[in-house]
Amino acid sequence: MNTIYSKCLLILIVVLTGSCNINQGQKSAKQVVIENKYPTIGVALYSFNRFPFFETLTKTQEVGVTTIEGFFFHKLGDDFDNKTMLELTDAELLKLKSAIAKQGLKMPSIYAGGNSELEWRRFFKIADHLDLEFMTCEPEPEYWDLLNELGAEKGIKIAIHEHAKGKSRFWHPDSVLVALEGRSQFGVCADLGHWVRSGLDPVDCLKKLEGHIIAVHAKDLDEFGKIDANDVKISDGVIDYPVVLQELKRQNFDGPIYIECEHDWEDNLKDVKYGVDYIEKLIKS
C-alpha cells in the first residue's frame, strides 16, 4: 500500500508542476504580446551646425532630450582645434566621448561619409572609440561589402540615409533595398523630408522598408515634390505626422527619431524644442 501511495503522490506532483509551468508560460506569452515599444526622441546635431560641439550639447540639454546624432563634417570648435570628427586623434575622441557623458547624453550614431576604403576603416575606428550602435551614411556600391564585413566584425549597423532625387542614389526605397539585399548589417535611416522633396509619400516609403528601419530623421517642408522646398517647423508643413507616427507604431518601431531643423540656423532652438514636444505628444497619444 505504501508503494502504491508513493507512486500516486509522485504522479500528482508531476501533474500539478506541469500545470503550474504551463500557466506561467501562458502568462509570459501574454506579457510579450501586450508589451509596447516606443521610439526614442533625439536631436540631429546638424540642426546646430553653426555652433561648436560643446555648445550643441548645451542646446540639446535645453531641448530636453538625451539622445543625439553627430555628423562627420562638423567643425567642432576651438576646444578641438576646429577639426572635424574624421580628423580627431584617439585622445580627442576620448575627450569628445567624455563631454557627451558628462552632459548626461548618449550618441548612438553619427552621419558618416567616406570616399575611400581608408576613410571608411577610420570611421569604424571612430565608431569603436565612441561606442556607436550604427552609422548613418550613403556609401557607394564599391564599399557595401566592406562596410557589411566591418559592421559584423565591430557589431555596428549601417543605416542607409536618403537625400533627395538627383542628390543621392538612395532617394527611392527600391534603391535602398538593393543595398540591403544579402547584407545583414545594413538597415535604414528614414529621412521623411527628403522623401517629400522627391515626391514620395513618406508613409508608403516606411511601409516598403518595414523591418529594416533603424532610425528616422524628422523634419518638415512647405511643399511636396519640390527639391528646393523650404524647411519649416514640424507640423507647419506638408508631412502628416499623426499618420507617420501611426505607421511607426504599427511597425513597433523603437529606434531613435532625430529631430532635424534646417532653417533659422542661428536661432532655431525654439523650433527644435517644438518638434521634440510635438513628436513626443504623438507617440504618447
Side-chain angles (χ1 to χ4, degrees), residues 1 11 33 53 56 89 122 130 141 144 147 156 182 190 234 236 244 255:
M1 289 293 292
I11 292 170
V33 170
F53 186 74
T56 67
T89 65
R122 177 59 184 162
L130 298 178
W144 291 354
L147 268 57
I156 296 169
I234 289 177
D236 280 358
V244 166

Side-chain angles (χ1 to χ4, degrees), residues 189-233:
C189 174
D191 193 299
L192 307 175
H194 288 314
W195 280 332
V196 168
R197 290 184 191 279
S198 302
L200 300 173
D201 184 328
V203 174
D204 289 344
C205 294
L206 290 172
K207 288 179 178 178
K208 259 197 168 180
L209 297 170
E210 183 173 354
H212 301 293
I213 301 170
I214 296 174
V216 173
H217 281 182
K219 56 172 71 75
D220 214 342
L221 305 176
D222 64 350
E223 292 187 63
F224 179 86
K226 185 178 179 182
I227 297 299
D228 59 351
N230 295 309
D231 189 87
V232 296
K233 183 177 73 176

Side-chain angles (χ1 to χ4, degrees), residues 80-132:
F80 296 93
D81 297 325
N82 215 29
K83 294 179 180 179
T84 65
M85 199 174 294
L86 193 60
E87 299 167 322
L88 296 181
T89 65
D90 290 354
E92 288 169 329
L93 285 169
L94 180 60
K95 177 181 176 181
L96 184 144
K97 180 181 178 180
S98 297
I100 295 170
K102 285 178 181 178
Q103 296 275 34
L105 305 174
K106 58 181 179 179
M107 188 168 72
S109 63
I110 62 169
Y111 183 89
N115 292 314
S116 67
E117 179 177 339
L118 184 64
E119 285 189 353
W120 280 118
R121 288 186 179 276
R122 177 59 184 162
F123 273 121
F124 272 94
K125 286 186 178 179
I126 290 171
D128 213 14
H129 279 296
L130 298 178
D131 297 327
L132 300 185

Side-chain angles (χ1 to χ4, degrees), residues 172-193:
H172 196 282
D174 289 348
S175 57
V176 176
L177 289 171
V178 170
L180 267 55
E181 188 174 355
R183 297 179 180 88
S184 60
Q185 295 303 115
F186 277 34
V188 178
C189 174
D191 193 299
L192 307 175

